Amino acid sequence: MSHPTLSPTLESPLLLPEVREWLGKPKKLLIGGRWVEAQSGRTLTVTDPATGLPLCEVAEAGPADVELAVQAARHALEGTWGLTKPAERGRLLWLLSDLIERYAEELRQLESLDTGKPVMETHLFDLPVTVDHFRYFAGWATKITGETLPVSLPGEYLAYTRREPVGVVGAITPWNFPLAIASWKLAPALACGNTVVLKPSELTPLTALRLGELILEAGFPPGVVNILPGYGPTAGKPLAEHQGVDKVSFTGSPRVGREILVGSARDFKRVTLELGGKSPNIVFPDANLDEAIGGAMAGIFFNQGEACAAGSRLFLPKSHFDQILSGLVERARHLEQGLGLDLGTQIGPLVSQAHMERVLGYIEKGKAEGAELVLGGERNPQAGSGYFVKPTIFVGRDEMTIAREEIFGPVLTALPFEDLDDLVRRANDSSYGLVASIWTRDLKQAIRVAHALKAGTVWINGFGLVDAASPWGGFKTSSLGREMGSYALEHYTEVKSVWVNLL
Ligand code: NAD
């Protein structure tokens, strides 16, 4: 397919020449260490969220490509990669982290172009988190141990455990943090000795493809990592259901997560899921209000609110409600919205037309259900011709749709509270349980509330702190399993008990 009108962003003087050149080259599938066309010959169009116009074409994987990639991953697992020593796996992961750092500027721009997010945020979050992830798990490669077991059966035995790789991992990732989330799956999977078929989101495949080039440059053997941009039904589903895939690691919507879990039942496939959230951000009356307002801003407007961990329910004390809300509205009103590549941009466009319409639909629902709109609530054509939605703040009630469903956009619902005892119940009254945040100077109170909240991560006087060493995942419908930290290793290994009869 050819597109006569490419996005004018490609002509921006802000774009690095090497990024422009890279975008102009053919983009294929990585299978068995080689870049190949899709078996069907099809391509998919990558769109610029800032203009709604095409950036480039990328080979589109289908079931036949999934078949070849899974075979390549199996071949590598049973061949060279299976024999690779842990120290060598660690060395390759570290080398990869160095290469990502070397090409960080290029990766930052690609990520910003593809998702719309401000390049400044990729500088502060996406790239450092990705580099740290590969480094952290590089260190783990040589420290994945079993134990000797004090068995009591009559006789004499040496009994011990080994942690062996699960096998071929199907990694399926969303569009909001494409590179970082790919690293959350690839780094632990490879440290543990697995091979991977990575399917990035059809909306944002670019940094995964550039990462594939760096994986080859680092010297990972062919087939250890295979990369297949493609759509959910035609690439994600065949990958998730392939009998040659031993484990699926999925991040995305609860709807697809549920489908993958049901599909995995036939083969009792190992599955980890990172899904949605509707997280409470709680400000107590004694908090440093300036910091709390900063936390509320980051909680909902970072990454345009397209974050599973968005603090989209802001609980404010009635006694300070107007003061905090007006401070927040004042700051949100001045957020610079525009082209992600511009260093001054603080909030970019949403990722796609369909997603923008979904977010605008929630805004209309908020208005229809009687929530009070205090900021935004519409598109922002001044910011550009693409999918820009103004930072939006409602005052609402717990039972409203905008306070219950994940919007995944820059839409905050402020909720007043008076009764401290009822607050935890209200904060926990959600099908999700990913993160929560508490702002107070009273640490005893903060710790009591932190322990009572049903959330995988609780931040006290902070928001959005993510580190490879700290487990990531949630309670209830937010997750199944955990990523990051030593907890991730459990999901990328099988435990084997070995008994040796010594008599
Ligand atoms: P999505 O579920 O639509 O897509 C995610 C991935 O799954 C994409 O690669 C897509 O192509 C693929 N997919 C779609 N249908 C599939 C199918 N039937 N079988 C297999 N794969 C399929 O989600 P999205 O819109 O890309 O991302 C937004 C969602 O991701 C939100 O709900 C958000 O909360 C969640 N998310 C969670 C975390 C976390 O760490 N918990 C992080 C980021 C995003």
Side-chain angles (χ1 to χ4, degrees):
M1 247 199 321
S2 70
H3 288 276
T5 322
L6 288 175
S7 173
T9 308
L10 293 169
E11 302 306 320
S12 165
L14 297 168
L15 197 63
L16 291 167
E18 54 269 39
V19 174
R20 191 176 292 117
E21 192 189 330
W22 188 85
L23 286 166
K25 289 186 195 157
K27 275 163 279 302
K28 302 183 183 174
L29 314 175
L30 179 59
I31 299 180
R34 293 177 41 239
W35 293 100
V36 295
E37 302 286 1
Q39 293 289 304
S40 66
R42 292 164 75 107
T43 59
L44 59 83
T45 305
V46 179
T47 302
D48 177 2
T51 61
L53 293 169
L55 284 171
C56 62
E57 295 286 316
V58 167
E60 179 202 324
D65 307 294
V66 169
E67 188 58 47
L68 292 175
V70 173
Q71 279 174 22
R74 176 69 51 195
H75 187 71
L77 184 77
E78 290 170 1
T80 39
W81 190 242
L83 300 172
T84 302
K85 297 287 185 197
E88 174 62 2
R89 298 202 300 265
R91 191 187 71 81
L92 288 169
L93 285 166
W94 195 278
L95 203 53
L96 179 58
S97 74
D98 283 347
L99 286 171
I100 295 168
E101 209 165 48
R102 186 184 313 159
Y103 295 106
E105 201 60 37
E106 205 184 300
L107 286 160
R108 278 202 282 271
Q109 285 210 346
L110 274 181
E111 198 72 315
S112 167
L113 269 179
D114 210 358
T115 59
K117 68 174 74 189
V119 79
M120 188 43 88
E121 287 185 2
T122 66
H123 178 71
L124 297 171
F125 185 80
D126 304 64
L127 264 293
V129 160
T130 302
V131 169
D132 288 351
H133 241 79
F134 283 112
R135 292 210 171 127
Y136 175 82
F137 283 102
W140 265 116
T142 48
K143 295 161 197 75
I144 299 164
T145 57
E147 44 188 10
T148 52
L149 306 167
V151 293
S152 302
L153 279 187
E156 201 178 325
Y157 301 95
L158 167 64
Y160 63 95
T161 58
R162 288 163 52 79
R163 296 207 78 103
E164 298 184 357
V166 177
V168 174
V169 173
I172 302 177
T173 52
W175 46 259
N176 59 341
F177 297 101
L179 183 64
I181 293 179
S183 77
W184 300 356
K185 301 185 184 314
L186 283 167
L190 297 174
C192 294
N194 301 280
T195 57
V196 182
V197 179
L198 169 67
K199 195 211 81 66
S201 166
E202 61 277 18
L203 295 173
T204 56
L206 298 181
T207 47
L209 294 175
R210 186 69 186 100
L211 181 67
E213 293 177 354
L214 300 182
I215 285 169
L216 295 185
E217 192 174 332
F220 283 89
V224 172
V225 179
N226 306 273
I227 301 180
L228 302 182
Y231 292 96
T234 45
K237 193 174 163 69
L239 177 62
E241 294 185 353
H242 198 293
Q243 289 189 308
V245 171
D246 301 291
K247 179 211 158 72
V248 180
S249 175
F250 172 80
T251 300
S253 61
R255 181 187 63 78
V256 175
R258 191 170 289 116
E259 200 180 313
I260 287 176
L261 191 59
V262 170
S264 70
R266 185 191 56 197
D267 303 316
F268 299 103
K269 197 169 281 183
R270 306 305 184 246
V271 176
T272 42
L273 305 172
E274 290 299 336
L275 309 170
K278 190 75 192 175
S279 298
N281 195 351
I282 303 169
V283 183
F284 285 101
D286 70 330
N288 176 328
L289 296 187
D290 198 48
E291 286 179 9
I293 290 171
M297 292 281 295
I300 194 65
F301 300 127
F302 176 72
N303 212 52
Q304 299 77 238
E306 295 169 321
C308 51
S312 50
R313 289 186 295 150
L314 180 65
F315 287 96
L316 299 178
K318 265 199 175 145
S319 55
H320 294 66
F321 193 85
D322 292 342
Q323 186 190 352
I324 301 173
L325 190 67
S326 60
L328 183 62
V329 167
E330 214 28 52
R331 277 169 68 173
R333 195 193 299 287
H334 292 106
L335 280 176
E336 202 56 55
Q337 191 164 30
L339 184 66
L341 283 184
D342 191 328
L343 280 175
T345 293
Q346 294 168 300
I347 182 164
L350 297 180
V351 74
S352 67
Q353 167 107 24
H355 186 56
M356 176 184 69
E357 283 167 7
R358 188 170 165 270
V359 170
L360 291 171
Y362 273 114
I363 291 173
E364 289 314 309
K365 207 155 202 175
K367 292 178 192 165
E369 290 180 11
E372 183 195 347
L373 180 68
V374 289
L375 186 73
E378 57 187 356
R379 290 183 72 167
N380 185 359
Q382 282 82 37
S385 54
Y387 314 127
F388 294 92
V389 172
K390 288 183 182 170
T392 296
I393 301 178
F394 281 106
V395 176
R397 292 190 307 278
D398 293 4
E399 66 276 16
M400 291 176 168
T401 308
I402 54 167
R404 302 205 70 77
E405 295 186 13
E406 184 181 50
I407 300 176
F408 223 59
V411 182
L412 179 69
T413 308
L415 302 158
F417 74 85
E418 218 166 7
D419 179 356
L420 279 186
D421 293 334
D422 201 34
L423 179 64
V424 169
R425 181 198 62 75
R426 291 176 62 195
N428 284 337
D429 181 21
S430 169
S431 58
Y432 295 113
L434 189 58
V435 302
S437 168
I438 301 165
W439 300 85
T440 176
R441 289 188 168 95
D442 178 349
L443 272 186
K444 278 190 192 166
Q445 169 171 262
I447 290 167
R448 258 198 309 274
V449 174
H451 291 190
L453 288 171
K454 298 207 179 309
T457 296
V458 180
W459 295 299
I460 298 171
N461 295 327
F463 198 96
L465 308 167
V466 175
D467 188 292
S470 176
W472 182 257
F475 288 26
K476 300 189 263 183
T477 58
S478 283
S479 297
L480 197 65
R482 290 290 183 273
E483 296 194 309
M484 306 190 200
S486 58
Y487 296 86
L489 304 171
E490 292 172 22
H491 298 294
Y492 287 99
T493 50
E494 292 278 8
V495 181
K496 179 183 282 177
S497 302
V498 181
W499 291 65
V500 186
N501 188 344
L502 298 178
L503 292 181

